[in-house]
Amino acid sequence: EVTGGYFKVDSNLVFGNDQSGTIRYVVDESFNGGNPEGYALNVTKKGIELRAASKSGLFYGEQTLRQLYTSKGIPCVSIQDNPRFPYRGLHLDVSRHFFPKEYILKWIDLMALYKINTLHWHLTDAGGWRVEIKKYPELTRTAAWRTQIGWKEWWTAKDRQYLEEGTPGAYGGYYTQEDIREIVAYAMNRHVEIIPEIEMPGHSEEIFA
């Protein structure tokens, strides 16, 4: 519901911070029947109140605030929002098409902005093994690298050869254990759960290699 007018945003505004009572974030465990991801957002010319049953709800309400922001300020609105589906996921296959850590972090930022809460992270398949396992270094020394960049070309041409790390022209990559810890922590701070997929025993040519 649009109520008319704008809340004028100070250039120093930081969402989540109390500015002399003009912005209130309220965690009320009884709110909305305890739905952890729902929230109520009320914006008037005098201030903003965001109410939710949990920090997750506040986080999603804050994303709505960010999306409402314009050069004029934040329009005066009254919003009550609840997710229709508890699982709102994206699937990212980094085995067939490897993406570096920085890309994954950017992907998580975009997921959070659009209130997507689950990342199905497809980490291993014939196309490449992407997880550092210190007890089995060959998994990343050999099974993380292949001859062609394009997975479909590599697969349909029946080449399906793996290369040693450092071989000129080798395509691939992997995430160190520290990379994965950083990504998981980054996702948790943005209320995104990561579900890792490890293929076994099918789709495991890279392990046999």
Side-chain angles (χ1 to χ4, degrees):
E1 178 186 353
V2 179
T3 57
Y6 289 85
F7 171 70
K8 300 299 181 181
V9 178
D10 187 279
S11 60
N12 297 318
L13 173 68
V14 177
F15 290 118
N17 287 4
D18 184 4
Q19 294 194 339
S20 303
T22 58
I23 301 177
R24 292 186 67 226
Y25 281 28
V26 180
V27 175
D28 177 358
E29 294 182 358
S30 65
F31 170 77
N32 197 32
N35 184 321
E37 294 186 314
Y39 63 89
L41 173 64
N42 287 288
V43 182
T44 70
K45 292 180 180 179
K46 294 182 178 180
I48 297 171
E49 181 179 275
L50 180 57
R51 183 177 295 269
S54 73
K55 290 183 178 179
S56 292
L58 292 182
F59 179 83
Y60 292 123
E62 187 175 89
Q63 304 318 301
T64 297
L65 273 176
R66 293 178 187 278
Q67 292 165 339
L68 288 170
Y69 176 81
T70 72
S71 59
K72 294 181 180 180
I74 297 174
C76 295
V77 294
S78 178
I79 296 172
Q80 182 148 345
D81 190 17
N82 296 288
R84 181 178 179 186
F85 302 107
Y87 183 111
R88 303 179 302 282
L90 287 177
H91 170 257
L92 185 62
D93 182 349
V94 297
S95 173
R96 293 176 177 87
H97 309 283
F98 180 73
F99 297 102
K101 178 187 72 175
E102 293 73 21
Y103 182 93
I104 305 298
L105 300 179
K106 181 179 179 181
W107 183 274
I108 291 169
D109 282 337
L110 290 170
M111 291 178 63
L113 180 64
Y114 292 105
K115 305 181 180 71
I116 298 173
N117 64 5
T118 308
L119 173 58
H120 176 159
W121 201 13
H122 190 135
L123 287 162
T124 73
D125 208 306
W129 180 279
R130 307 300 180 203
V131 184
E132 179 188 40
I133 307 293
K134 292 181 179 179
K135 187 175 180 180
Y136 302 107
E138 289 298 318
L139 286 171
T140 47
R141 187 180 299 145
T142 299
W145 309 91
R146 65 179 190 239
T147 47
Q148 276 103 5
I149 293 175
W151 174 81
K152 190 171 287 188
E153 177 187 5
W154 178 81
W155 184 260
T156 59
K158 302 187 185 305
D159 176 40
R160 303 186 194 176
Q161 297 297 310
Y162 301 93
L163 299 172
E164 290 289 313
E165 183 175 6
T167 301
Y171 170 77
Y174 59 90
Y175 307 101
T176 67
Q177 292 184 10
E178 284 304 311
D179 288 339
I180 293 174
R181 289 188 186 98
E182 179 182 345
I183 290 168
V184 170
Y186 194 87
M188 286 179 64
N189 286 336
R190 288 153 182 78
H191 300 270
V192 173
E193 180 181 10
I194 293 181
I195 299 177
E197 180 179 353
I198 308 293
E199 295 280 6
M200 190 74 68
H203 292 243
S204 300
E205 288 91 335
E206 81 286 6
I207 296 174
F208 300 142

